[in-house]
Amino acid sequence: MTGHAERAARFAADEPRAHWHDQALWFVRLKRDRMAAAVPEWEALRERAAAVKAHARARLADYLEQFEREATRRGLRVHWARDADEHNAIVHRILSERGVTRVVKSKSMLTEECHLNPYLAARGIEVVDTDLGERIVQLAGEPPSHIVLPAIHKKKEEIGELFHRTLGTAAGASDPTYLTQAARAHLREKFLAAQAGLTGVNFAIAETGGIVVCTNEGNADMGTHLPPLHVACMGVEKIVPRLADLSVFLRLLARSATGQPVTTYTTHFHAPRPGGELHVVIVDNGRSRLLAEEGFRGALACIRCGACMNTCPVFRRSGGYSYAWTIPGPIGSVLAPGRDPVAHGSLPFASSLCGSCDAVCPVKIPLHDQLLARRREVVRAGGQPLAKRLAMRVGGWVLRHRALYEVAGRLARLALRRLPRALLYGRWNAWGRQRELPAAPAESFRDAWRRTRGDGRG
């Protein structure tokens, strides 16, 4: 089994792509910074959002039941799913009982997590992703590489070739306007032919029983206003207690995600359209287990803005596919090992622990603390190679004993000066594969301190 480091190496081997990916995401991060700086009460909003989410988690069952009562009173039909299998079966049952074979879907990371598209496709139901980035990766037969910018890893020339092959655009065309117009015409046909619309849920309001869906392309609105059937899928953590809380999150979400003052389309659904049906499927799928983990339950506050990915130096240089999980980046590296600490054991180590993710998280999740805690769990579960565990144990032992540390330092400096390069940069030295080891100083800081202070203490 390969880990994050091996997958990241494959992405980084294409140096121009890795550099371009890095710069594209850093551009988004800078836009986010400008937007945050323009809101004087930004830090107060983050504090408020974190407090609301903490309160909602503490009374999660109560607020979910309140949401169900209010939603049902307004004519919505609420379904409960313990895991991905139940979620997929419920959605399939709703669609198949109404004879639906054509569905349009707006971006939903929950349905990606549950692998809903292939489940429905295997049962004869066509699901067309209508977010442009999602449609690009769907046509390419790939999963999203970023939760907000799903095709960020693709260049316009690659998209032009893909559209030429799948949509019949002109060969060699890569003009973004031309390609977008072609995608729009293609998707319009899908919207008009759809029998049902599937969406995710950004926020569910317990007080009103309504749900809120945010998009920048209006595709969720097209997909839910044309066909008579709307199925909305949400994780239990999407609940917010009151309508008044919503403004806090809406001000944070778009600024953190893409550096916009507000999402272009923020649609409130409080009832089915006349003559139509609106179903909400509430999914647990491991979230209750995460809620029971005191050190990690704060991760349930995530509003899926992707800001931690845009700022993470490891994500920017290794790409979303290197994480091999639905949610990549720092938040994914906290969530995935909670599902399977062995299969995803390399992810908590895919971080420099610089804390930049903490600094930009709109709901103040202490991501780098949680990554460090996940590392301890992975090591305890035996999720690291024996050689690395032994090396870390020896390193810890040396660092705990001053005399050993001094001897080790002298030996290391001697080795750096005397050993041939072929040996120093052999296969064993993963750190040195793309970096030069520092030149060995003539004397250590401790020796220099003793020489200049002359007090014999170091």
Side-chain angles (χ1 to χ4, degrees), residues 219-338:
N219 52 310
D221 301 77
M222 285 282 283
T224 55
H225 286 85
L226 289 173
L229 176 61
H230 175 191
V231 181
C233 306
M234 60 172 269
V236 295
E237 81 282 7
K238 297 294 185 181
I239 204 81
V240 295
R242 303 173 305 156
L243 184 60
D245 300 321
L246 189 61
S247 63
V248 176
F249 294 100
L250 292 180
R251 295 184 73 189
L252 290 167
L253 177 61
R255 289 178 170 89
S256 299
T258 53
Q260 300 169 238
V262 70
T263 310
T264 308
Y265 298 90
T266 300
T267 307
H268 299 242
F269 296 93
H270 280 91
R273 51 173 282 193
E277 298 178 51
L278 173 50
H279 296 253
V280 179
V281 185
I282 303 176
V283 186
D284 186 302
N285 202 33
R287 288 161 174 77
S288 292
R289 192 165 62 245
L290 183 64
L291 184 63
E293 295 184 88
E294 185 176 356
F296 302 103
R297 64 176 58 131
L300 285 170
C302 178
I303 57 174
R304 301 292 190 263
C305 68
C308 62
M309 298 166 203
N310 302 338
T311 198
C312 176
V314 176
F315 180 89
R316 296 201 318 267
R317 292 169 176 80
S318 63
Y321 293 152
S322 64
Y323 293 80
W325 202 60
T326 309
I327 310 287
I331 183 66
S333 298
V334 170
L335 296 174

Side-chain angles (χ1 to χ4, degrees), residues 117 440 443:
N117 283 17
E443 62 179 350

Side-chain angles (χ1 to χ4, degrees), residues 348-361:
F349 298 88
S351 169
S352 63
L353 296 182
C354 64
S356 185
C357 47
D358 293 24
V360 301
C361 178

